[in-house]
Amino acid sequence: MLIDRKLSRLLVVDLQERLMPAIHDGEKLLQNCRWITQVASTLDVPILVSEQYPKGLGPTVEPIRSLLRDDAFMEKTYFSCLSDDGCRTTLLDKHYPQVVIIGTEAHVCVMQTALEMKEAGIHVFVVEDCIGSRDPHNKQLAVERMRQAGITLVAREMVAFEWLRRANTHVFRYVNRTFIA
């Protein structure tokens, strides 16, 4: 199954100020997450952002926050976005049967959200180069577990090209020139 930009949303999970400095290779992760968030915005793919207990972990990091509208943010205390009533209603919108997930931590909030969304009948695509954990071994285990559960693991460029679908358009030329070339 290909990712369809009209049927999917980007879910940014917990890229928060007090957590990001502890994430393994966090700067590279943040660059990749910013890249895919900019591509989604350019292509009018809806973007939602979860924040795990922002009073403790702080808000979403500024390089991502500055790209988004205020109504994109959802506060939660459960690790899985789908377990939190405030996020659940928004995420189970039948107009979007696909979700592309990026964020932290891969083995906690990302994985639990992905597993519960799959159980709810949503087609889940986790962007492997846009997820991270404090310990890279935990990320590796999360990737293996999600793959075994039938969740599709993808790369950020795979997502961009599937959202674009064709090359001979103005939007393709813009995205290619701005983000890929």
Side-chain angles (χ1 to χ4, degrees):
M1 165 186 297
L2 294 175
I3 305 167
D4 187 325
R5 74 179 184 209
K6 294 177 181 155
L7 300 176
S8 65
R9 293 190 280 190
L10 178 65
L11 176 59
V12 180
V13 177
D14 306 349
L15 293 175
Q16 292 169 258
E17 286 179 352
R18 293 190 191 107
L19 180 58
M20 286 307 296
I23 299 299
H24 175 76
D25 211 5
E27 281 302 313
K28 178 67 173 169
L29 173 64
L30 188 54
Q31 289 172 7
N32 288 349
C33 289
R34 184 171 168 78
W35 185 93
I36 198 166
T37 302
Q38 290 174 305
V39 170
S41 182
T42 299
L43 298 176
D44 295 322
V45 173
I47 303 168
L48 296 171
V49 182
S50 70
E51 293 181 328
Q52 177 71 29
Y53 186 64
K55 290 176 187 163
L57 293 176
T60 299
V61 291
E62 188 56 35
I64 300 295
R65 178 174 277 286
S66 64
L67 301 173
L68 304 169
R69 299 184 348 223
D70 289 340
D71 64 352
F73 296 88
M74 305 176 294
E75 187 174 327
K76 67 184 180 68
T77 55
Y78 284 90
F79 298 124
S80 169
C81 294
L82 228 53
S83 291
D84 196 287
D85 290 338
C87 299
R88 183 179 185 79
T89 303
T90 302
L91 290 171
L92 291 181
D93 184 334
K94 298 292 183 200
H95 293 97
Y96 300 100
Q98 299 178 343
V99 65
V100 176
I101 300 176
I102 66 173
T104 62
E105 279 193 75
H107 66 293
V108 185
C109 298
V110 169
M111 185 188 71
Q112 289 185 31
T113 297
L115 292 173
E116 285 197 345
M117 291 186 95
K118 183 177 185 329
E119 287 176 21
I122 297 168
H123 299 286
V124 179
F125 301 87
V126 173
V127 187
E128 195 275 336
D129 51 348
C130 293
I131 61 171
S133 293
R134 289 164 288 143
D135 181 338
H137 180 68
N138 287 337
K139 175 185 171 180
Q140 176 189 0
L141 290 173
V143 167
E144 289 174 19
R145 184 170 173 195
M146 288 186 283
R147 186 175 284 122
Q148 289 171 355
I151 291 167
T152 305
L153 279 291
V154 294
R156 65 189 179 121
E157 278 200 15
M158 293 167 71
V159 175
F161 283 108
E162 288 177 40
W163 277 339
L164 285 165
R165 192 77 82 220
R166 50 189 291 204
N168 61 340
T169 66
H170 293 294
V171 72
F172 167 79
R173 285 187 285 281
Y174 175 78
V175 169
N176 187 49
R177 197 172 48 250
T178 306
F179 302 107
I180 298 167

